[in-house]
Amino acid sequence: MTDEEYMRIAINEAIKGTGYTSPNPLVGAVIVKDGKILNKDYHHKYGEFHAERNAILNCKEDMQGADIYVTLEPCCHYGKTPPCTDIIIESGIKRVFIGSADPNPLVAGKGAEKLRSNGIEVIEGVLKDECDKINDVFFHYITHKTPFVAMKYAMTADGKIATRTGASQWITGETARENVHKSRLKYSGIMVGIGTVLKDDPMLTCRITGGRNPIRIICDSKLRTPFESNIVKTAGEVPTIIATVSEDKELIEKYTDKNITVIQTSDDNGHVDLNELMIKLGEMKIDGILLEGGGELNFSALKAGIVNKIECYIAPKIFGGTEAKSPVGGIGVDVPDEAFVFEKPDVSFFDDDILLEWRLK
Ligand SMILES: NC(=O)c1ccc[n+]([C@@H]2O[C@H](COP(=O)([O-])OP(=O)(O)OC[C@H]3O[C@@H](n4cnc5c(N)ncnc54)[C@H](OP(=O)(O)O)[C@@H]3O)[C@@H](O)[C@H]2O)c1
């Protein structure tokens, strides 16, 4: 097997931790000797041992002269657990293959350096892009202190996210919708506009068995979220935030009585100030947000420059209708040169539906 193939196994290990490591990164590790995999493991949960430590501690075989493939540069500092560089040095491992460099200022290059100064050969950048992608939330949050925002929508082949009557359930098939629930596991927050709450009365929960729910964030400038909505009715069980510009203390208290956290921001043309909201959510340790629309909020989010990635599902059907909404509404741009531009997408299929993932250029 090639170094890339071993690293891909480490990536598959890493993603097993999705939804449980935040605000830590996803990390996987594979120990190999003479072409045989001695052990593989991952970072299971925030606060628990890192991938390298798990893989080394649970390895039943002699690691003298072995290689380890790690998706992220090993840490060299004391955090909630001891440095991974130390246990690698003690294990007898002689070569370390690294995927991503760690942007955490406490590690950044120092992990690799410590290994080298202890006589270990370090090979960096193996499947770097793939390793970077699994930790896009972590990399963004640690450098910006605001959440990584992925704008997700499902549309028809003619670019509609609802019919002319506003009905949108369902556009894609079951397999694609199940993948959305996996995404809800990846991001610690999920955000929609009040328009979507009023139209769809969504739950915005994660329906993966045993999965934790993201924190629900409703952008509701004038506090119009109905008390009989699913969001308010379930706020006792699912953490919920309403972002508003309203200063109506009495009404705010009614929401807080229902276990909802109300965040006030400055008034941005009558709406919630999204940049200010991102700073406040970052301070609350929300590192990633799945933005699930609708079109009005999506346009504002793009305009505010808070969107880092698009997750666009396309179903092989057409709704038509001049009045039917598209994923991004608002006033739009005037000329093509003003378009929001993204990189070449990653493409995957879910039965008959397509998922296109674009990252900001
Ligand atoms: N297919 C899909 O993937 C999908 C996903 C989501 C929604 N939908 C569909 O989309 C439709 C709802 O979309 P929509 O565009 O009408 O509503 P929306 O984007 O969900 O909500 C828009 C509202 O959010 C509030 N808001 C608060 N802060 C804002 C800000 N900074 N910028 C913009 N808006 C802000 C505004 O009202 P206030 O200022 O008064 O608060 C605004 O009217 C429904 O038909 C729903 O079914 C489809």
Side-chain angles (χ1 to χ4, degrees):
M1 281 173 79
T2 64
D3 294 336
E4 283 75 18
E5 283 167 327
Y6 287 126
M7 189 60 85
R8 197 154 281 121
I9 295 173
I11 291 173
N12 287 334
E13 282 298 301
I15 56 182
K16 289 180 185 169
T18 303
Y20 302 99
T21 63
S22 166
N24 273 353
L26 296 173
V27 190
V30 178
I31 303 170
V32 179
K33 189 173 169 181
D34 302 329
K36 183 183 165 206
I37 294 179
L38 302 188
N39 200 21
K40 56 185 181 172
D41 215 322
Y42 62 101
H43 179 39
H44 292 225
K45 202 174 170 201
Y46 175 70
E48 295 185 1
F49 283 160
H50 294 178
E52 309 87 312
R53 188 166 289 273
N54 280 332
I56 291 170
L57 285 177
N58 302 324
C59 184
K60 305 266 182 296
E61 302 193 49
D62 179 16
M63 286 173 279
Q64 282 301 324
D67 298 335
I68 189 166
Y69 295 80
V70 203
T71 54
L72 181 71
E73 180 180 359
C75 68
C76 54
H77 65 289
Y78 279 88
K80 285 204 174 291
T81 57
C84 290
T85 45
D86 293 10
I87 196 161
I88 293 174
I89 295 162
E90 287 157 21
S91 71
I93 284 171
K94 282 288 165 254
R95 285 197 304 178
V96 177
F97 293 81
I98 296 173
S100 305
D102 195 332
N104 182 347
L106 290 171
V107 182
K110 298 187 196 110
E113 201 180 292
K114 179 150 185 209
L115 293 169
R116 285 195 181 103
S117 64
N118 280 273
I120 292 173
E121 190 184 337
V122 180
I123 301 96
E124 293 175 82
V126 183
L127 287 188
K128 183 180 180 306
D129 285 353
E130 285 176 51
C131 290
D132 284 354
K133 275 179 188 168
I134 59 170
N135 278 315
D136 43 14
V137 169
F138 170 76
F139 288 167
H140 176 89
Y141 184 66
I142 204 153
T143 45
H144 295 82
K145 306 278 180 253
T146 55
F148 178 93
V149 177
M151 178 191 289
K152 172 260 151 190
Y153 51 81
M155 66 177 198
T156 57
D158 57 334
K160 307 292 188 189
I161 60 162
T163 65
R164 69 186 170 85
T165 62
S168 64
Q169 291 167 352
W170 298 106
I171 291 174
T172 49
E174 225 166 89
T175 323
R177 297 206 307 272
E178 194 183 309
N179 196 57
V180 172
H181 284 277
K182 285 189 185 150
S183 271
R184 288 182 178 183
L185 202 56
K186 174 176 170 185
Y187 299 99
S188 48
I190 183 167
M191 185 163 92
V192 297
I194 180 65
T196 297
V197 172
L198 294 175
K199 190 81 205 168
D200 298 347
D201 193 17
M203 287 287 283
L204 306 176
T205 48
C206 170
R207 274 158 246 167
I208 301 283
T209 316
R212 64 106 189 87
N213 289 316
I215 298 172
R216 302 180 298 192
I217 304 144
I218 316 298
C219 289
D220 176 8
S221 321
K222 303 177 194 75
L223 291 178
R224 291 186 285 151
T225 304
F227 282 90
E228 64 281 7
S229 64
N230 281 323
I231 294 286
V232 178
K233 280 197 291 190
T234 55
E237 302 100 63
V238 187
T240 307
I241 292 170
I242 292 182
T244 189
V245 298
S246 168
E247 290 179 1
D248 185 335
K249 282 199 182 111
E250 221 172 285
L251 194 48
I252 290 174
E253 208 175 298
K254 282 191 184 157
Y255 286 109
T256 48
D257 283 350
K258 297 277 180 196
N259 255 328
I260 292 173
T261 304
V262 177
I263 296 181
Q264 288 167 296
T265 73
S266 312
D267 185 321
D268 181 10
N269 283 319
H271 297 308
V272 170
D273 184 319
L274 296 176
N275 277 299
E276 198 180 309
L277 178 63
M278 291 306 115
I279 293 170
K280 291 190 172 179
L281 295 175
E283 285 165 1
M284 294 168 76
K285 304 255 179 299
I286 296 177
D287 58 354
I289 291 177
L290 193 62
L291 171 59
E292 290 210 18
E296 291 306 310
L297 186 61
N298 282 350
F299 181 71
S300 289
L302 284 165
K303 205 164 148 252
I306 63 164
V307 178
N308 303 101
K309 183 190 175 194
I310 309 276
E311 295 182 9
C312 165
Y313 291 85
I314 305 177
K317 50 180 87 157
I318 285 180
F319 283 166
T322 314
E323 299 300 312
K325 291 190 184 248
S326 65
V328 183
I331 189 172
V333 300
D334 289 335
V335 289
D337 276 355
E338 288 174 10
F340 305 101
V341 181
F342 294 83
E343 282 179 349
K344 188 177 164 195
D346 289 334
V347 186
S348 33
F349 288 87
F350 295 91
D351 291 334
D352 294 345
D353 302 318
I354 304 172
L355 168 62
L356 296 170
E357 294 175 88
W358 286 285
R359 286 174 172 76
L360 193 71
K361 245 201 160 88

